[in-house]
mmCIF file of all heavy atoms in Angstrom:
data_model
loop_
_atom_site.group_PDB
_atom_site.id
_atom_site.type_symbol
_atom_site.label_atom_id
_atom_site.label_comp_id
_atom_site.label_asym_id
_atom_site.label_seq_id
_atom_site.Cartn_x
_atom_site.Cartn_y
_atom_site.Cartn_z
ATOM 1 N N GLY A 366 1.070 39.390 27.431
ATOM 2 C CA GLY A 366 0.981 40.612 26.631
ATOM 3 C C GLY A 366 0.815 40.369 25.150
ATOM 4 O O GLY A 366 0.825 41.336 24.369
ATOM 5 N N GLY A 367 0.667 39.104 24.739
ATOM 6 C CA GLY A 367 0.457 38.821 23.324
ATOM 7 C C GLY A 367 -0.882 39.341 22.828
ATOM 8 O O GLY A 367 -1.910 39.221 23.512
ATOM 9 N N GLU A 368 -0.904 39.936 21.647
ATOM 10 C CA GLU A 368 -2.125 40.528 21.099
ATOM 11 C C GLU A 368 -3.062 39.436 20.611
ATOM 12 O O GLU A 368 -2.630 38.381 20.126
ATOM 13 C CB GLU A 368 -1.797 41.487 19.959
ATOM 14 C CG GLU A 368 -1.016 42.713 20.379
ATOM 15 C CD GLU A 368 -0.778 43.646 19.187
ATOM 16 O OE1 GLU A 368 -1.092 43.229 18.046
ATOM 17 O OE2 GLU A 368 -0.294 44.758 19.400
ATOM 18 N N THR A 369 -4.353 39.703 20.700
ATOM 19 C CA THR A 369 -5.338 38.821 20.089
ATOM 20 C C THR A 369 -5.600 39.353 18.691
ATOM 21 O O THR A 369 -6.562 40.087 18.443
ATOM 22 C CB THR A 369 -6.641 38.773 20.934
ATOM 23 O OG1 THR A 369 -6.311 38.347 22.261
ATOM 24 C CG2 THR A 369 -7.634 37.788 20.328
ATOM 25 N N SER A 370 -4.703 38.994 17.793
ATOM 26 C CA SER A 370 -4.775 39.442 16.412
ATOM 27 C C SER A 370 -4.442 38.277 15.495
ATOM 28 O O SER A 370 -3.827 37.278 15.918
ATOM 29 C CB SER A 370 -3.803 40.597 16.155
ATOM 30 O OG SER A 370 -2.463 40.156 16.308
ATOM 31 N N ILE A 371 -4.808 38.380 14.227
ATOM 32 C CA ILE A 371 -4.577 37.300 13.276
ATOM 33 C C ILE A 371 -3.103 36.935 13.190
ATOM 34 O O ILE A 371 -2.754 35.757 13.029
ATOM 35 C CB ILE A 371 -5.116 37.687 11.877
ATOM 36 C CG1 ILE A 371 -6.617 37.991 11.949
ATOM 37 C CG2 ILE A 371 -4.863 36.577 10.876
ATOM 38 C CD1 ILE A 371 -7.441 36.806 12.442
ATOM 39 N N ASN A 372 -2.234 37.904 13.305
ATOM 40 C CA ASN A 372 -0.802 37.650 13.186
ATOM 41 C C ASN A 372 -0.186 37.020 14.442
ATOM 42 O O ASN A 372 0.991 36.725 14.453
ATOM 43 C CB ASN A 372 -0.059 38.955 12.871
ATOM 44 C CG ASN A 372 -0.347 39.461 11.472
ATOM 45 O OD1 ASN A 372 -0.596 38.654 10.572
ATOM 46 N ND2 ASN A 372 -0.352 40.777 11.294
ATOM 47 N N ASN A 373 -1.011 36.837 15.485
ATOM 48 C CA ASN A 373 -0.519 36.169 16.691
ATOM 49 C C ASN A 373 -1.381 34.932 17.014
ATOM 50 O O ASN A 373 -1.333 34.424 18.120
ATOM 51 C CB ASN A 373 -0.532 37.140 17.886
ATOM 52 C CG ASN A 373 0.199 36.594 19.100
ATOM 53 O OD1 ASN A 373 1.296 36.044 18.998
ATOM 54 N ND2 ASN A 373 -0.420 36.722 20.259
ATOM 55 N N LEU A 374 -2.153 34.470 16.031
ATOM 56 C CA LEU A 374 -3.046 33.340 16.248
ATOM 57 C C LEU A 374 -2.861 32.274 15.191
ATOM 58 O O LEU A 374 -2.521 32.569 14.034
ATOM 59 C CB LEU A 374 -4.520 33.808 16.216
ATOM 60 C CG LEU A 374 -4.990 34.750 17.322
ATOM 61 C CD1 LEU A 374 -6.357 35.318 16.975
ATOM 62 C CD2 LEU A 374 -5.045 34.024 18.654
ATOM 63 N N ALA A 375 -3.091 31.032 15.572
ATOM 64 C CA ALA A 375 -3.075 29.908 14.624
ATOM 65 C C ALA A 375 -4.027 28.841 15.122
ATOM 66 O O ALA A 375 -4.192 28.671 16.339
ATOM 67 C CB ALA A 375 -1.666 29.349 14.477
ATOM 68 N N LEU A 376 -4.648 28.122 14.198
ATOM 69 C CA LEU A 376 -5.545 27.039 14.574
ATOM 70 C C LEU A 376 -4.776 25.781 14.925
ATOM 71 O O LEU A 376 -3.900 25.342 14.158
ATOM 72 C CB LEU A 376 -6.519 26.723 13.425
ATOM 73 C CG LEU A 376 -7.568 27.785 13.088
ATOM 74 C CD1 LEU A 376 -8.510 27.247 12.015
ATOM 75 C CD2 LEU A 376 -8.354 28.197 14.316
ATOM 76 N N ILE A 377 -5.079 25.224 16.102
ATOM 77 C CA ILE A 377 -4.413 24.003 16.582
ATOM 78 C C ILE A 377 -5.496 23.059 17.134
ATOM 79 O O ILE A 377 -6.346 23.496 17.909
ATOM 80 C CB ILE A 377 -3.394 24.297 17.704
ATOM 81 C CG1 ILE A 377 -2.416 25.402 17.279
ATOM 82 C CG2 ILE A 377 -2.621 23.034 18.084
ATOM 83 C CD1 ILE A 377 -1.433 24.983 16.222
ATOM 84 N N CYS A 378 -5.468 21.795 16.756
ATOM 85 C CA CYS A 378 -6.407 20.847 17.332
ATOM 86 C C CYS A 378 -6.060 20.630 18.800
ATOM 87 O O CYS A 378 -4.942 20.918 19.240
ATOM 88 C CB CYS A 378 -6.396 19.513 16.566
ATOM 89 S SG CYS A 378 -4.902 18.535 16.799
ATOM 90 N N ARG A 379 -7.023 20.061 19.547
ATOM 91 C CA ARG A 379 -6.841 19.923 20.976
ATOM 92 C C ARG A 379 -5.609 19.077 21.315
ATOM 93 O O ARG A 379 -4.828 19.418 22.212
ATOM 94 C CB ARG A 379 -8.094 19.288 21.593
ATOM 95 C CG ARG A 379 -8.002 19.022 23.086
ATOM 96 C CD ARG A 379 -7.834 20.290 23.889
ATOM 97 N NE ARG A 379 -8.881 21.240 23.670
ATOM 98 C CZ ARG A 379 -10.051 21.208 24.317
ATOM 99 N NH1 ARG A 379 -10.323 20.271 25.168
ATOM 100 N NH2 ARG A 379 -10.963 22.118 24.067
ATOM 101 N N ARG A 380 -5.412 17.964 20.590
ATOM 102 C CA ARG A 380 -4.285 17.086 20.895
ATOM 103 C C ARG A 380 -2.948 17.799 20.692
ATOM 104 O O ARG A 380 -2.068 17.762 21.548
ATOM 105 C CB ARG A 380 -4.346 15.834 20.028
ATOM 106 C CG ARG A 380 -3.214 14.844 20.240
ATOM 107 C CD ARG A 380 -3.540 13.520 19.575
ATOM 108 N NE ARG A 380 -3.567 13.638 18.122
ATOM 109 C CZ ARG A 380 -2.498 13.417 17.341
ATOM 110 N NH1 ARG A 380 -1.351 13.069 17.875
ATOM 111 N NH2 ARG A 380 -2.593 13.543 16.036
ATOM 112 N N HIS A 381 -2.811 18.504 19.565
ATOM 113 C CA HIS A 381 -1.538 19.167 19.303
ATOM 114 C C HIS A 381 -1.404 20.470 20.083
ATOM 115 O O HIS A 381 -0.283 20.938 20.327
ATOM 116 C CB HIS A 381 -1.377 19.409 17.808
ATOM 117 C CG HIS A 381 -1.100 18.156 17.041
ATOM 118 N ND1 HIS A 381 -1.900 17.660 16.063
ATOM 119 C CD2 HIS A 381 -0.057 17.260 17.169
ATOM 120 C CE1 HIS A 381 -1.409 16.547 15.570
ATOM 121 N NE2 HIS A 381 -0.302 16.271 16.219
ATOM 122 N N HIS A 382 -2.543 21.059 20.493
ATOM 123 C CA HIS A 382 -2.471 22.243 21.350
ATOM 124 C C HIS A 382 -1.804 21.879 22.677
ATOM 125 O O HIS A 382 -0.967 22.636 23.207
ATOM 126 C CB HIS A 382 -3.875 22.792 21.576
ATOM 127 C CG HIS A 382 -3.901 24.228 21.991
ATOM 128 N ND1 HIS A 382 -5.048 24.920 22.221
ATOM 129 C CD2 HIS A 382 -2.890 25.119 22.245
ATOM 130 C CE1 HIS A 382 -4.771 26.163 22.573
ATOM 131 N NE2 HIS A 382 -3.461 26.296 22.612
ATOM 132 N N THR A 383 -2.158 20.735 23.219
ATOM 133 C CA THR A 383 -1.549 20.270 24.461
ATOM 134 C C THR A 383 -0.055 20.058 24.284
ATOM 135 O O THR A 383 0.772 20.488 25.103
ATOM 136 C CB THR A 383 -2.210 18.936 24.907
ATOM 137 O OG1 THR A 383 -3.602 19.165 25.114
ATOM 138 C CG2 THR A 383 -1.576 18.436 26.196
ATOM 139 N N ALA A 384 0.333 19.382 23.176
ATOM 140 C CA ALA A 384 1.759 19.117 22.931
ATOM 141 C C ALA A 384 2.513 20.404 22.639
ATOM 142 O O ALA A 384 3.684 20.544 23.031
ATOM 143 C CB ALA A 384 1.887 18.142 21.753
ATOM 144 N N LEU A 385 1.862 21.353 21.997
ATOM 145 C CA LEU A 385 2.538 22.620 21.660
ATOM 146 C C LEU A 385 2.922 23.379 22.924
ATOM 147 O O LEU A 385 4.024 23.905 23.039
ATOM 148 C CB LEU A 385 1.610 23.466 20.793
ATOM 149 C CG LEU A 385 2.188 24.777 20.266
ATOM 150 C CD1 LEU A 385 3.311 24.495 19.271
ATOM 151 C CD2 LEU A 385 1.103 25.613 19.599
ATOM 152 N N HIS A 386 2.013 23.399 23.918
ATOM 153 C CA HIS A 386 2.322 24.065 25.159
ATOM 154 C C HIS A 386 3.394 23.348 25.954
ATOM 155 O O HIS A 386 4.022 23.919 26.849
ATOM 156 C CB HIS A 386 1.049 24.240 25.998
ATOM 157 C CG HIS A 386 0.239 25.439 25.640
ATOM 158 N ND1 HIS A 386 0.332 26.633 26.298
ATOM 159 C CD2 HIS A 386 -0.653 25.635 24.640
ATOM 160 C CE1 HIS A 386 -0.501 27.520 25.748
ATOM 161 N NE2 HIS A 386 -1.110 26.936 24.734
ATOM 162 N N ALA A 387 3.602 22.073 25.639
ATOM 163 C CA ALA A 387 4.680 21.330 26.280
ATOM 164 C C ALA A 387 6.021 21.537 25.581
ATOM 165 O O ALA A 387 7.030 20.983 25.984
ATOM 166 C CB ALA A 387 4.330 19.837 26.291
ATOM 167 N N GLY A 388 6.033 22.360 24.517
ATOM 168 C CA GLY A 388 7.279 22.706 23.841
ATOM 169 C C GLY A 388 7.680 21.780 22.720
ATOM 170 O O GLY A 388 8.846 21.786 22.287
ATOM 171 N N HIS A 389 6.736 20.993 22.182
ATOM 172 C CA HIS A 389 7.108 20.030 21.131
ATOM 173 C C HIS A 389 7.276 20.672 19.764
ATOM 174 O O HIS A 389 7.918 20.106 18.894
ATOM 175 C CB HIS A 389 6.051 18.931 21.039
ATOM 176 C CG HIS A 389 6.009 18.051 22.275
ATOM 177 N ND1 HIS A 389 5.326 16.868 22.307
ATOM 178 C CD2 HIS A 389 6.580 18.177 23.472
ATOM 179 C CE1 HIS A 389 5.462 16.294 23.477
ATOM 180 N NE2 HIS A 389 6.213 17.101 24.212
#
Side-chain angles (χ1 to χ4, degrees):
E368 294 183 352
T369 302
S370 65
I371 300 300
N372 291 329
N373 191 45
L374 295 169
L376 291 185
I377 308 289
C378 71
R379 177 63 57 84
R380 180 168 66 93
H381 287 119
H382 201 178
T383 300
L385 185 67
H386 276 264
H389 292 193

